[in-house]
């Protein structure tokens, strides 16, 4: 399976490039919409929570600390949801191509993954500029960000492909996940700091594999410090299991995938 993906690497690269161009054809701002949407959402959250509700990060006096904390978490969540949501529908969206053209079907979620990574890197560049306006410049801890990208994208890819295959046979999956993703977002310490919620909820937050992954960005971008690698073990295990399960399911369901579409 991996060998066939490697043989089609140029096809995937050209598809990623074509997808990025095609998505914003006839758009004056082009790829900037990838950046503007999450930034606008984060800006609204920052204004409402930091300025209107006077939300602050405990033990930090800087007014910029909360927007930085929020932008860091939203960047991780944006990467996670883009890969997961698009992988979950990619086989249905590309049903016509799968029926007409012979190529490894796993290329489709890999193309989604590649496009999401490029968008995320552009967003990080924009975030670094915004942080500079706050007087908060990138520190040495940014070197841990690629590690976070690898874990987040692996978790999203594994879950997305697994659910994407099931979604072909049972379309309810997409609808159920729309609700679950909202719950998942609020169980992840992005808008709030974990210490401000009741201790009885901490155990559920710690079970969330996204908690440790979001903390990588928050530690690096806000505090300029290395992540707690011990806290990342559960997230890494879940990501590994998700990717393994998706490959196993894909291998078993692949012969019936096109017929089901």
């Amino acid at each position: 399976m991996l060998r066939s993906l490697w043989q089609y690497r140029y096809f995937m690269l050209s598809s990623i490039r074509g997808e990025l161009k095609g998505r914003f054809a006839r758009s004056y701002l082009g790829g900037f919409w990838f950046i503007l949407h999450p930034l606008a959402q984060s800006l609204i959250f920052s204004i409402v929570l930091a300025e209107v509700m006077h939300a602050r990060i405990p033990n930090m006096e800087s007014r910029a600390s909360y927007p930085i904390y929020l932008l860091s978490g939203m960047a991780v969540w944006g990467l996670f949801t883009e890969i997961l949501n698009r992988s979950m529908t990619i086989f249905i969206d590309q049903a016509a191509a799968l029926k007409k053209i012979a190529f490894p079907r796993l290329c489709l979620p890999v193309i989604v993954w590649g496009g999401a990574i490029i968008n995320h890197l552009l967003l990080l560049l924009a975030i670094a500029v915004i942080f500079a306006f706050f007087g908060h410049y990138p520190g040495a801890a940014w070197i841990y960000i690629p590690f976070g990208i690898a874990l987040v994208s692996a978790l999203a890819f594994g879950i997305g492909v697994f659910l994407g295959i099931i979604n072909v046979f049972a379309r309810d999956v997409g609808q159920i996940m729309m609700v679950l993703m909202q719950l998942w977002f609020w169980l992840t310490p992005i808008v709030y700091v974990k210490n401000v919620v009741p201790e009885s909820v901490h155990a559920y937050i710690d079970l969330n594999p996204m908690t440790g992954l979001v903390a990588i960005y928050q530690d690096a971008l806000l505090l300029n410090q290395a992540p707690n690698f011990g806290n990342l073990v559960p997230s890494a295990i879940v990501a590994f299991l998700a990717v393994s399960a998706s490959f196993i399911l894909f291998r078993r369901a692949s012969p019936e995938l096109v017929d089901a579409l």
Side-chain angles (χ1 to χ4, degrees):
M1 191 182 299
L2 294 177
R3 182 180 299 174
S4 62
L5 286 178
W6 178 251
Q7 290 173 342
Y8 278 80
R9 61 190 182 280
Y10 296 115
F11 165 72
M12 291 187 286
L13 289 173
S14 63
S15 297
I16 292 170
R17 187 167 54 248
E19 183 185 88
L20 293 175
K21 286 183 178 178
R23 195 182 297 184
F24 296 105
R26 300 182 182 178
S27 169
Y28 290 107
L29 295 181
F32 279 108
W33 287 116
F34 282 121
I35 302 170
L36 293 178
H37 283 155
L39 284 182
Q41 188 181 20
S42 301
L43 182 62
I44 293 169
F45 270 95
S46 298
I47 292 173
V48 172
L49 296 174
E51 300 301 328
V52 179
M53 300 181 69
H54 304 290
R56 293 288 184 273
I57 301 296
N59 303 321
M60 297 190 74
E61 297 298 327
S62 172
R63 295 182 63 185
S65 60
Y66 182 75
I68 293 171
Y69 176 87
L70 184 62
L71 277 170
S72 304
M74 294 291 280
V76 183
W77 188 255
L79 173 64
F80 178 69
T81 54
E82 182 176 358
I83 296 175
L84 193 154
N85 289 336
R86 292 202 59 214
S87 297
M88 201 163 52
T89 60
I90 189 66
F91 297 116
I92 297 173
D93 295 341
Q94 299 295 331
L98 285 171
K99 293 175 182 177
K100 295 178 182 177
I101 307 171
F103 64 93
R105 291 151 193 164
L106 201 57
C107 287
L108 292 175
V110 174
I111 292 169
V112 167
W113 173 81
I117 293 294
I118 293 174
N119 298 339
H120 186 66
L121 294 177
L122 292 173
L123 177 64
L124 287 177
L125 182 61
I127 283 177
V129 174
I130 293 172
F131 286 2
F133 280 110
F134 287 130
H136 187 84
Y137 298 97
W142 274 63
I143 62 171
Y144 297 105
I145 296 301
F147 178 65
I149 292 175
L151 280 180
V152 172
S153 58
L155 180 65
F157 184 88
I159 297 175
V161 173
F162 187 88
L163 295 178
I165 297 166
I166 297 177
N167 200 28
V168 172
F169 300 95
R171 304 296 169 88
D172 304 294
V173 173
Q175 302 300 324
I176 295 171
M177 282 304 294
M178 286 178 64
V179 177
L180 292 181
M181 290 300 287
Q182 296 180 46
L183 178 63
W184 198 345
F185 175 81
W186 288 104
L187 277 175
T188 307
I190 296 172
V191 177
Y192 58 88
V193 180
K194 188 180 114 176
N195 293 338
V196 303
V197 300
E199 287 190 14
S200 58
V201 186
H202 286 194
Y204 299 103
I205 294 177
D206 291 337
L207 285 175
N208 179 359
M210 283 300 290
T211 298
L213 302 181
V214 167
I216 296 176
Y217 278 59
Q218 291 165 342
D219 288 341
L221 274 57
L222 176 62
L223 305 175
N224 192 29
Q225 66 183 27
N228 184 331
F229 288 99
N231 292 340
L232 295 175
V233 173
S235 303
I237 292 174
V238 174
F240 175 76
L241 291 176
V243 172
S244 301
S246 67
F247 273 85
I248 294 171
L249 181 62
F250 181 83
R251 184 182 290 275
R252 292 188 177 181
S254 186
E256 303 173 10
L257 203 60
V258 175
D259 292 336
L261 289 169

